[in-house]
Amino acid sequence: RPTPATASATPHLPWTARSDCSVARLVGARPVVSAIAGLFDAFAVPPSSNTGGSQSRRTDGAMGCGDSKPATKQMATSKPKPKPNFGRDPTLDPKDFIVRGKTGETVIRMPGSVKGQQFLIEECKDCTVLLFDDSAAVNIDACEGCRVFVGPCASSLFVRECRNCDVVCAVQQFRTRDCRDVRVNMFTQTEPIIETSSRVTIGPFSLAYFELEAQLERAGLSLWNNRWSEVHDFNGGAGSGNWKAAEEGAQDPVAMLALSEETQAAVSIVPEPVIPLTYGVARRGLSGEQAFVAFAPSAATAARAVLDDMLAKAETRVVRTRQFRLEDAQAKALFAKDAKLKAAAKTGEVVAIEFNGPGAAAALAEVVAARAAEPGAAFVAPAGGATAE
C-alpha cells in the first residue's frame, strides 16, 4: 500500500488494490471511493446455476432456450427490435444459417450475409467456419478439430461437446459445456461461463477488420466492455485447472483461424485493434502501480487517445476498461464539487480505464494533463493510482 508520505504527497491518488487485482479496493474519502469502486465492478451479471443445463439442442433450424434466462445487459444502450429468426421468416433459407455434418471444409460468411440472424454449427470435423458478420445467437455443437470465428453476436455463443477447437469470438455472453482442449480468443460483455469442461485456454480478442466496429454497434456491444478474464467455472474455483488465461501475446487469431491471405484481403484485416487489448484480472505478474481515469460521455475520442498514449510507454498495461451509465449517487459522489461535470456524466455512458505498470500513476497524470488541454476532452475524474500490494 502507499506509505503515509506517498499518500500526503499525492492527495488526489487515493487508490490501492488487492494483490490478485480482481477487485479494486480504494482508500480515501468514502463517498468518492465508493463511486470509483463501482466503475469496474458495476453491472456484473451473477451467473445462474443452470447456465445451459436446461438448454436443449434443436435440429429443426431453431435454437432451444429451455428454462434459461437471458443475462442482464451491462449497458444502457438501446438496441433495435430483434429481427425474425430464420425458422420463422419465410424469406430466409435455413441452410444459409446452418453448417452441419461437414468434414475438412471451409465455410465463410462475408459481411452482410448473416444479417443479424441466429447461426448453428453442428457435428463438424476439421472444418473452418468464419462468420464475418453480426448475428443474434450462435451454437457450436459436437465439433472436433475445427476453427471458428464468430463476429459480433448480440446474445450468447454456446459451445457444447467440442474437442480440440479454436474459437475467436466477439459476443454478449460466452458459455461452454462438456468441452475439452478448446482455445478461445474472446470478447464478451459478461463473465465467461464454463461448465463440466477442461483444458480451456482463454485470451483477449485481438482480431480487427474493416467492418468490425460497425458490426459491434449493430449488435449492441460496447468495445470498452470486455470481461474475457473474469471466468466463472461452475465445477471448480480458482486454480481448478479447468481453464487458464493464455500467456500474454501467445494467441494470434490469424494463425488460430489459419486465415489465408486471400481471406484477410477480402475482409480487410487491419493490424491496429478496434477493441482495446486488455491484460485482464486472471493473469499473474501485475506489479508496480495501478492507475485509473474516467471520461465524460462526450470524450470517447479522448479516452482512446489516452489509452494509445499510455500504451506507447514502456511496461504499461491496460488491465481492463468499462463503459456504463452512472447512477445519480455515483455521479454525485464523484463530481459533487463540479456541477458541470456531474451534469455531463448524466448525458450518456462514462468510459473508465485501469492501467498497471511502474510509474503508471505519474505517467497517466502527465498524459491526462496534456490531453485535457485539447478541445472536448471532458475528463470526469482525476487520474490516480497507488502501488499494488
Side-chain angles (χ1 to χ4, degrees):
R1 301 188 186 189
T3 63
T6 302
S8 62
T10 56
H12 297 297
L13 310 183
W15 293 271
T16 186
R18 291 196 335 207
S19 58
D20 63 4
C21 300
S22 60
V23 178
R25 186 174 76 246
L26 313 174
V27 295
R30 187 173 299 276
V32 176
V33 165
S34 299
I36 299 177
L39 292 177
F40 292 99
D41 298 304
F43 305 109
V45 179
S48 167
S49 61
N50 69 340
T51 72
S54 61
Q55 187 168 3
S56 59
R57 287 179 56 185
R58 299 279 297 273
T59 58
D60 58 355
M63 293 188 180
C65 295
D67 298 326
S68 62
K69 297 180 180 180
T72 304
K73 301 296 278 186
Q74 286 179 276
M75 299 171 53
T77 305
S78 61
K79 294 176 65 175
K81 183 177 180 181
K83 299 177 182 178
N85 65 49
F86 58 75
R88 300 172 184 170
D89 188 340
T91 67
L92 301 176
D93 189 343
K95 71 178 179 58
D96 293 333
F97 305 93
I98 300 174
V99 178
R100 179 183 294 143
K102 296 184 178 296
T103 300
E105 296 189 28
T106 296
V107 178
I108 303 177
R109 295 291 185 267
M110 297 297 288
S113 60
V114 180
K115 304 174 183 178
Q117 302 300 317
Q118 302 179 45
F119 205 96
L120 306 178
I121 304 168
E122 299 179 340
E123 300 170 354
C124 293
K125 184 175 182 180
D126 300 327
C127 288
T128 298
V129 181
L130 308 173
L131 308 180
F132 287 107
D133 201 10
D134 55 292
S135 59
V138 178
N139 277 14
I140 305 174
D141 290 311
C143 291
E144 182 177 352
C146 291
R147 299 180 175 95
V148 181
F149 174 69
V150 177
C153 176
S155 57
S156 293
L157 166 60
F158 208 163
V159 184
R160 298 174 288 197
E161 301 174 27
C162 291
R163 302 288 183 269
N164 191 31
C165 290
D166 291 280
V167 179
V168 180
C169 61
V171 300
Q172 195 273 334
Q173 184 181 56
F174 178 89
R175 298 179 175 185
T176 67
R177 193 183 70 204
D178 302 328
C179 292
R180 188 174 68 243
D181 297 312
V182 174
R183 298 156 295 277
V184 191
N185 188 257
M186 179 197 305
F187 168 91
T188 175
Q189 299 268 255
T190 56
E191 294 178 348
I193 295 171
I194 66 173
E195 185 176 3
T196 57
S197 297
S198 61
R199 299 200 294 270
V200 178
T201 302
I202 299 174
F205 186 91
S206 53
L207 186 67
Y209 55 96
F210 181 73
E211 295 199 32
L212 176 59
E213 191 162 1
Q215 292 173 358
L216 287 167
E217 184 174 353
R218 286 199 297 270
L221 305 179
S222 166
L223 57 83
W224 297 102
N225 287 336
N226 188 3
R227 301 174 71 100
W228 71 270
S229 68
E230 301 167 45
V231 176
H232 184 85
D233 179 4
F234 275 109
N235 302 102
S240 67
N242 293 333
W243 77 278
K244 67 177 181 179
E247 294 295 325
E248 190 173 13
Q251 289 186 334
D252 176 1
V254 172
M256 290 175 69
L257 299 171
L259 297 182
S260 67
E261 291 185 2
E262 181 181 3
T263 299
Q264 292 182 56
V267 297
S268 299
I269 297 292
V270 295
E272 296 299 322
V274 171
I275 295 169
L277 189 62
T278 56
Y279 189 80
V281 297
R283 287 170 170 159
R284 299 297 179 184
L286 286 178
S287 62
E289 294 180 338
Q290 312 295 112
F292 307 83
V293 65
F295 301 84
S298 61
T301 300
R304 173 66 79 172
V306 167
L307 186 147
D308 291 341
D309 289 349
M310 286 294 290
L311 287 178
K313 297 181 178 296
E315 300 184 64
T316 298
R317 293 186 174 111
V318 179
V319 180
R320 50 185 173 171
T321 63
R322 289 286 185 273
Q323 181 178 22
F324 55 85
R325 188 179 297 273
L326 287 174
E327 297 179 356
D328 288 343
Q330 290 175 311
K332 183 177 180 180
L334 276 173
F335 321 124
K337 296 181 180 181
D338 193 320
K340 184 177 180 180
L341 288 179
K342 184 170 66 174
K346 295 181 179 181
T347 63
E349 293 171 341
V350 169
V351 171
I353 308 175
E354 176 184 356
F355 297 97
N356 172 268
L364 181 56
E366 179 183 345
V367 168
V368 166
R371 290 289 180 179
E374 298 177 0
F379 299 97
V380 300
T387 302
E389 294 176 336

